[in-house]
Amino acid sequence: MTPAMQNKEVLMQVRDFSLLYKTRLGPLSAVDHVTFDLYKGEIIGLVGESGCGKSTLGKALLRMAPPQAELTGQILFQGEDILQFDDRRLRDFRGRCVSMIFQDPMTSLNPVQRVDQHLVEAIQVHEPHTPAQAALERARSLIGRLGIQERRLRDYPHQLSGGMRQRVMIGLGLVLNANLIIADEATTSLDVIVEAKLLDQFRELRDELGITILMITHNIALVAEVADRIAVMYAGQMAELGSVYEVFDAPRHPYTQGLLASVPTISLNERTELFKMGGEPPNLTHPPQGCRFHPRCSQALPICSQREPELRPVNGGQLVHCWLYQNHESQGAS
Ligand code: SF4
């Protein structure tokens, strides 16, 4: 736990969670023994390259996984393991406790339903005794809070801008008072001005309503602007976890160091070559033995290709999954 999070209340605890897909080529280890906590009222960024397991993990927090996936470990929400929920409890949990925003809201919103119909329907599915008029009143006050004019309630999704559609998606999450929002590349398709407004909205939701937001993104620089903590995933595992200050000021894991070195800065000129991390993420049906990053790591030790490190605290707060910060001399490296 980072010092900044010591007095925070835990909302969700992910414990030794793994997700395995059964494929024709063998089991694919998409998420591997991941353990971390989400705190009430924090924004946490989950970053990594495409295929590192961040979206799979995000969806798993709502227990969204294909039927052939095998889920093990625990995902405790306010003390209850969501992996043990029956269908009824799961449906309620998904609406009332956690909501998800995807990159393209057009695929999540019904094109033949107006904004007010989306919101009223969401309320009445979970609260069948709420009259339509009361549900509409709730929708009105919520949409105002999200900075959308009331008259836009009568619009269809195609009549809204990209940013407004994302705010409607946030509204669908909040209308039932969800306390965790998972935003999966939610700002990727937006221009920088609209993106900045949406990030402001995330800050307001955290500050005013104490909502927890998990931002899944491949853009590590974006996370620096808004998040309290950052979790870096590589090949289905947690590589590093810490406060934004810790991770940006002193990245420990060689993969995090590579990700940060590949972010363009304002001091770049035409003669400066941007750092490019060599190699590719591994095939997760046959991940490398030992540390999964070792074939790409310029700091690898002999033990790295033999044994896997643990996710351990470095300097008290930051958690790092790397032999460089663990005693490897007694671990039998040749
Ligand atoms: Fe590199 Fe070894 Fe650390 Fe893996 S454990 S990141 S190979 S130094």
Side-chain angles (χ1 to χ4, degrees):
M1 181 186 297
T2 63
M5 291 291 133
Q6 265 163 11
N7 299 322
K8 289 264 185 185
E9 215 177 313
V10 175
L11 180 70
M12 186 175 256
Q13 295 163 292
V14 180
R15 292 287 173 267
D16 201 26
F17 175 72
S18 296
L19 190 150
L20 215 75
Y21 292 118
K22 291 173 195 147
T23 73
R24 278 185 295 117
L25 301 173
L28 187 152
S29 159
V31 180
D32 185 57
H33 300 287
V34 165
T35 292
F36 69 105
D37 292 334
L38 292 179
Y39 296 96
K40 286 189 181 167
E42 72 163 334
I43 300 179
I44 177 167
L46 183 59
V47 302
E49 288 163 289
S50 300
C52 69
K54 55 192 190 302
S55 287
T56 306
L57 177 59
K59 286 184 193 142
L61 301 185
L62 284 109
R63 220 179 89 190
M64 279 165 62
Q68 74 272 24
E70 193 182 297
L71 282 63
T72 55
Q74 288 183 313
I75 299 178
L76 303 164
F77 185 83
Q78 296 177 334
E80 283 185 281
D81 187 359
I82 71 161
L83 301 186
Q84 307 304 326
F85 283 175
D86 60 22
D87 287 351
R88 200 167 147 268
R89 181 76 186 87
L90 189 60
R91 208 166 39 244
D92 204 46
F93 164 75
R94 283 180 180 156
R96 286 181 184 283
C97 306
V98 185
S99 82
M100 190 143 189
I101 314 169
F102 296 96
Q103 181 175 343
D104 183 7
M106 271 310 257
T107 56
S108 307
L109 295 168
N110 185 339
V112 295
Q113 271 192 336
R114 292 187 302 262
V115 173
D116 57 353
Q117 290 171 312
H118 280 92
L119 292 163
V120 168
E121 185 182 69
I123 295 170
Q124 291 192 312
V125 163
H126 289 271
E127 300 170 17
H129 302 301
T130 303
Q133 193 53 39
L136 189 58
E137 282 309 315
R138 251 161 79 184
R140 273 202 193 108
S141 77
L142 179 73
I143 220 81
R145 147 163 246 140
L146 293 172
I148 300 177
Q149 292 167 328
E150 196 181 313
R151 65 182 171 83
R152 307 308 294 259
L153 279 170
R154 302 297 291 167
D155 284 352
Y156 290 94
H158 73 272
Q159 294 172 292
L160 304 174
S161 66
M164 258 189 224
R165 283 197 285 267
Q166 281 300 35
R167 277 183 274 160
V168 170
M169 288 304 299
I170 296 174
L172 282 168
L174 297 183
V175 81
L176 295 164
N177 303 321
N179 25 27
L180 170 61
I181 291 181
I182 299 171
D184 189 0
E185 300 284 2
T187 64
T188 303
S189 61
L190 304 174
D191 66 59
V192 286
I193 294 172
V194 180
E195 181 177 66
K197 283 188 187 157
L198 203 69
L199 295 183
D200 281 344
Q201 194 94 63
F202 285 163
R203 281 192 205 98
E204 279 170 34
L205 293 172
R206 174 195 58 191
D207 297 343
E208 291 172 21
L209 302 178
I211 286 172
T212 304
I213 297 169
L214 176 72
M215 272 183 68
I216 300 171
T217 177
H218 62 275
N219 184 347
I220 196 166
L222 188 74
V223 167
E225 287 181 42
V226 70
D228 303 297
R229 286 194 303 154
I230 178 166
V232 181
M233 277 189 87
Y234 182 74
Q237 298 177 326
M238 199 60 83
E240 184 157 2
L241 176 65
S243 75
V244 164
Y245 297 108
E246 288 168 334
V247 175
F248 275 79
D249 286 352
R252 308 280 176 168
H253 196 286
Y255 178 62
T256 316
Q257 292 167 358
L259 280 183
L260 286 171
S262 32
V263 175
T265 62
I266 202 119
S267 58
L268 265 185
N269 60 47
E270 68 277 8
R271 278 172 299 169
T272 321
E273 205 168 313
L274 200 57
F275 175 80
K276 183 176 176 295
M277 209 178 316
E280 300 283 333
N283 176 347
L284 294 179
T285 54
H286 296 93
Q289 190 187 331
C291 169
R292 290 184 174 188
F293 188 59
H294 87 259
R296 302 173 75 184
C297 183
S298 59
Q299 301 174 54
L301 305 164
I303 194 171
C304 298
S305 57
Q306 296 168 20
R307 296 195 54 185
E308 199 184 313
E310 290 174 11
L311 188 69
R312 290 250 188 97
V314 174
N315 280 349
Q318 214 161 335
L319 298 167
V320 187
H321 187 250
C322 177
W323 280 119
L324 293 176
Y325 310 97
Q326 291 170 33
N327 178 10
H328 50 87
E329 312 226 313
S330 58
Q331 301 288 329
S334 53

PDB file of all heavy atoms in Angstrom, residues 123-139:
ATOM      1  N   ILE A 123     -32.953   2.902 -14.821  1.00  0.00           N
ATOM      2  CA  ILE A 123     -33.505   2.999 -13.452  1.00  0.00           C
ATOM      3  C   ILE A 123     -34.583   1.938 -13.259  1.00  0.00           C
ATOM      4  O   ILE A 123     -34.590   1.204 -12.265  1.00  0.00           O
ATOM      5  CB  ILE A 123     -34.082   4.409 -13.198  1.00  0.00           C
ATOM      6  CG1 ILE A 123     -32.961   5.453 -13.231  1.00  0.00           C
ATOM      7  CG2 ILE A 123     -34.837   4.455 -11.867  1.00  0.00           C
ATOM      8  CD1 ILE A 123     -33.438   6.901 -13.237  1.00  0.00           C
ATOM      9  N   GLN A 124     -35.492   1.837 -14.227  1.00  0.00           N
ATOM     10  CA  GLN A 124     -36.656   0.959 -14.014  1.00  0.00           C
ATOM     11  C   GLN A 124     -36.315  -0.533 -14.087  1.00  0.00           C
ATOM     12  O   GLN A 124     -37.005  -1.336 -13.474  1.00  0.00           O
ATOM     13  CB  GLN A 124     -37.763   1.321 -15.002  1.00  0.00           C
ATOM     14  CG  GLN A 124     -38.357   2.697 -14.651  1.00  0.00           C
ATOM     15  CD  GLN A 124     -39.636   2.991 -15.389  1.00  0.00           C
ATOM     16  OE1 GLN A 124     -39.692   2.805 -16.606  1.00  0.00           O
ATOM     17  NE2 GLN A 124     -40.655   3.459 -14.676  1.00  0.00           N
ATOM     18  N   VAL A 125     -35.248  -0.887 -14.816  1.00  0.00           N
ATOM     19  CA  VAL A 125     -34.847  -2.298 -14.841  1.00  0.00           C
ATOM     20  C   VAL A 125     -34.408  -2.727 -13.443  1.00  0.00           C
ATOM     21  O   VAL A 125     -34.743  -3.817 -12.974  1.00  0.00           O
ATOM     22  CB  VAL A 125     -33.715  -2.534 -15.879  1.00  0.00           C
ATOM     23  CG1 VAL A 125     -33.006  -3.859 -15.637  1.00  0.00           C
ATOM     24  CG2 VAL A 125     -34.275  -2.492 -17.291  1.00  0.00           C
ATOM     25  N   HIS A 126     -33.680  -1.838 -12.765  1.00  0.00           N
ATOM     26  CA  HIS A 126     -33.166  -2.190 -11.435  1.00  0.00           C
ATOM     27  C   HIS A 126     -34.133  -1.806 -10.326  1.00  0.00           C
ATOM     28  O   HIS A 126     -34.072  -2.346  -9.231  1.00  0.00           O
ATOM     29  CB  HIS A 126     -31.808  -1.522 -11.203  1.00  0.00           C
ATOM     30  CG  HIS A 126     -30.728  -2.141 -12.040  1.00  0.00           C
ATOM     31  ND1 HIS A 126     -29.987  -3.213 -11.622  1.00  0.00           N
ATOM     32  CD2 HIS A 126     -30.301  -1.857 -13.296  1.00  0.00           C
ATOM     33  CE1 HIS A 126     -29.132  -3.555 -12.575  1.00  0.00           C
ATOM     34  NE2 HIS A 126     -29.303  -2.750 -13.595  1.00  0.00           N
ATOM     35  N   GLU A 127     -35.019  -0.839 -10.598  1.00  0.00           N
ATOM     36  CA  GLU A 127     -35.985  -0.407  -9.572  1.00  0.00           C
ATOM     37  C   GLU A 127     -37.365  -0.389 -10.225  1.00  0.00           C
ATOM     38  O   GLU A 127     -37.899   0.682 -10.553  1.00  0.00           O
ATOM     39  CB  GLU A 127     -35.636   0.997  -9.068  1.00  0.00           C
ATOM     40  CG  GLU A 127     -34.265   1.085  -8.436  1.00  0.00           C
ATOM     41  CD  GLU A 127     -33.850   2.535  -8.161  1.00  0.00           C
ATOM     42  OE1 GLU A 127     -34.723   3.440  -8.163  1.00  0.00           O
ATOM     43  OE2 GLU A 127     -32.660   2.748  -7.965  1.00  0.00           O
ATOM     44  N   PRO A 128     -37.966  -1.570 -10.423  1.00  0.00           N
ATOM     45  CA  PRO A 128     -39.224  -1.634 -11.167  1.00  0.00           C
ATOM     46  C   PRO A 128     -40.356  -0.832 -10.532  1.00  0.00           C
ATOM     47  O   PRO A 128     -41.334  -0.467 -11.219  1.00  0.00           O
ATOM     48  CB  PRO A 128     -39.571  -3.134 -11.196  1.00  0.00           C
ATOM     49  CG  PRO A 128     -38.479  -3.838 -10.470  1.00  0.00           C
ATOM     50  CD  PRO A 128     -37.461  -2.863 -10.007  1.00  0.00           C
ATOM     51  N   HIS A 129     -40.241  -0.495  -9.236  1.00  0.00           N
ATOM     52  CA  HIS A 129     -41.338   0.236  -8.587  1.00  0.00           C
ATOM     53  C   HIS A 129     -41.214   1.753  -8.746  1.00  0.00           C
ATOM     54  O   HIS A 129     -42.116   2.484  -8.351  1.00  0.00           O
ATOM     55  CB  HIS A 129     -41.408  -0.130  -7.097  1.00  0.00           C
ATOM     56  CG  HIS A 129     -41.590  -1.604  -6.891  1.00  0.00           C
ATOM     57  ND1 HIS A 129     -42.681  -2.286  -7.404  1.00  0.00           N
ATOM     58  CD2 HIS A 129     -40.818  -2.526  -6.292  1.00  0.00           C
ATOM     59  CE1 HIS A 129     -42.556  -3.573  -7.114  1.00  0.00           C
ATOM     60  NE2 HIS A 129     -41.436  -3.748  -6.440  1.00  0.00           N
ATOM     61  N   THR A 130     -40.115   2.211  -9.331  1.00  0.00           N
ATOM     62  CA  THR A 130     -39.967   3.667  -9.517  1.00  0.00           C
ATOM     63  C   THR A 130     -40.827   4.116 -10.694  1.00  0.00           C
ATOM     64  O   THR A 130     -40.667   3.626 -11.811  1.00  0.00           O
ATOM     65  CB  THR A 130     -38.484   4.031  -9.798  1.00  0.00           C
ATOM     66  OG1 THR A 130     -37.698   3.553  -8.712  1.00  0.00           O
ATOM     67  CG2 THR A 130     -38.294   5.530  -9.947  1.00  0.00           C
ATOM     68  N   PRO A 131     -41.775   5.076 -10.464  1.00  0.00           N
ATOM     69  CA  PRO A 131     -42.603   5.550 -11.579  1.00  0.00           C
ATOM     70  C   PRO A 131     -41.758   6.256 -12.642  1.00  0.00           C
ATOM     71  O   PRO A 131     -40.711   6.840 -12.319  1.00  0.00           O
ATOM     72  CB  PRO A 131     -43.575   6.544 -10.916  1.00  0.00           C
ATOM     73  CG  PRO A 131     -43.424   6.363  -9.447  1.00  0.00           C
ATOM     74  CD  PRO A 131     -42.097   5.741  -9.192  1.00  0.00           C
ATOM     75  N   ALA A 132     -42.237   6.227 -13.883  1.00  0.00           N
ATOM     76  CA  ALA A 132     -41.480   6.807 -14.998  1.00  0.00           C
ATOM     77  C   ALA A 132     -41.168   8.280 -14.753  1.00  0.00           C
ATOM     78  O   ALA A 132     -40.063   8.747 -15.061  1.00  0.00           O
ATOM     79  CB  ALA A 132     -42.254   6.628 -16.293  1.00  0.00           C
ATOM     80  N   GLN A 133     -42.147   9.010 -14.182  1.00  0.00           N
ATOM     81  CA  GLN A 133     -41.938  10.456 -13.974  1.00  0.00           C
ATOM     82  C   GLN A 133     -40.801  10.713 -12.976  1.00  0.00           C
ATOM     83  O   GLN A 133     -39.951  11.584 -13.180  1.00  0.00           O
ATOM     84  CB  GLN A 133     -43.254  11.096 -13.489  1.00  0.00           C
ATOM     85  CG  GLN A 133     -43.264  12.622 -13.535  1.00  0.00           C
ATOM     86  CD  GLN A 133     -42.875  13.196 -14.910  1.00  0.00           C
ATOM     87  OE1 GLN A 133     -43.260  12.662 -15.966  1.00  0.00           O
ATOM     88  NE2 GLN A 133     -42.070  14.255 -14.901  1.00  0.00           N
ATOM     89  N   ALA A 134     -40.777   9.905 -11.900  1.00  0.00           N
ATOM     90  CA  ALA A 134     -39.713  10.072 -10.890  1.00  0.00           C
ATOM     91  C   ALA A 134     -38.354   9.710 -11.500  1.00  0.00           C
ATOM     92  O   ALA A 134     -37.343  10.369 -11.235  1.00  0.00           O
ATOM     93  CB  ALA A 134     -40.003   9.185  -9.683  1.00  0.00           C
ATOM     94  N   ALA A 135     -38.360   8.669 -12.340  1.00  0.00           N
ATOM     95  CA  ALA A 135     -37.103   8.265 -12.991  1.00  0.00           C
ATOM     96  C   ALA A 135     -36.611   9.377 -13.919  1.00  0.00           C
ATOM     97  O   ALA A 135     -35.418   9.678 -13.979  1.00  0.00           O
ATOM     98  CB  ALA A 135     -37.320   6.966 -13.771  1.00  0.00           C
ATOM     99  N   LEU A 136     -37.565  10.013 -14.602  1.00  0.00           N
ATOM    100  CA  LEU A 136     -37.213  11.101 -15.520  1.00  0.00           C
ATOM    101  C   LEU A 136     -36.627  12.293 -14.748  1.00  0.00           C
ATOM    102  O   LEU A 136     -35.661  12.922 -15.189  1.00  0.00           O
ATOM    103  CB  LEU A 136     -38.447  11.516 -16.323  1.00  0.00           C
ATOM    104  CG  LEU A 136     -38.215  12.479 -17.469  1.00  0.00           C
ATOM    105  CD1 LEU A 136     -37.221  11.920 -18.478  1.00  0.00           C
ATOM    106  CD2 LEU A 136     -39.539  12.788 -18.173  1.00  0.00           C
ATOM    107  N   GLU A 137     -37.204  12.582 -13.594  1.00  0.00           N
ATOM    108  CA  GLU A 137     -36.686  13.679 -12.761  1.00  0.00           C
ATOM    109  C   GLU A 137     -35.233  13.404 -12.363  1.00  0.00           C
ATOM    110  O   GLU A 137     -34.385  14.283 -12.381  1.00  0.00           O
ATOM    111  CB  GLU A 137     -37.536  13.850 -11.492  1.00  0.00           C
ATOM    112  CG  GLU A 137     -38.844  14.580 -11.712  1.00  0.00           C
ATOM    113  CD  GLU A 137     -38.635  15.908 -12.454  1.00  0.00           C
ATOM    114  OE1 GLU A 137     -37.707  16.651 -12.105  1.00  0.00           O
ATOM    115  OE2 GLU A 137     -39.378  16.158 -13.423  1.00  0.00           O
ATOM    116  N   ARG A 138     -34.972  12.143 -11.994  1.00  0.00           N
ATOM    117  CA  ARG A 138     -33.611  11.772 -11.619  1.00  0.00           C
ATOM    118  C   ARG A 138     -32.659  11.955 -12.796  1.00  0.00           C
ATOM    119  O   ARG A 138     -31.543  12.456 -12.659  1.00  0.00           O
ATOM    120  CB  ARG A 138     -33.577  10.318 -11.159  1.00  0.00           C
ATOM    121  CG  ARG A 138     -33.351  10.210  -9.669  1.00  0.00           C
ATOM    122  CD  ARG A 138     -33.749   8.896  -9.129  1.00  0.00           C
ATOM    123  NE  ARG A 138     -32.782   7.846  -9.346  1.00  0.00           N
ATOM    124  CZ  ARG A 138     -32.992   6.583  -8.998  1.00  0.00           C
ATOM    125  NH1 ARG A 138     -34.136   6.244  -8.433  1.00  0.00           N
ATOM    126  NH2 ARG A 138     -32.093   5.668  -9.196  1.00  0.00           N
ATOM    127  N   ALA A 139     -33.150  11.528 -13.969  1.00  0.00           N
ATOM    128  CA  ALA A 139     -32.330  11.648 -15.181  1.00  0.00           C
ATOM    129  C   ALA A 139     -32.011  13.112 -15.448  1.00  0.00           C
ATOM    130  O   ALA A 139     -30.881  13.468 -15.787  1.00  0.00           O
ATOM    131  CB  ALA A 139     -33.057  11.028 -16.364  1.00  0.00           C
TER     132      ALA A 139
END
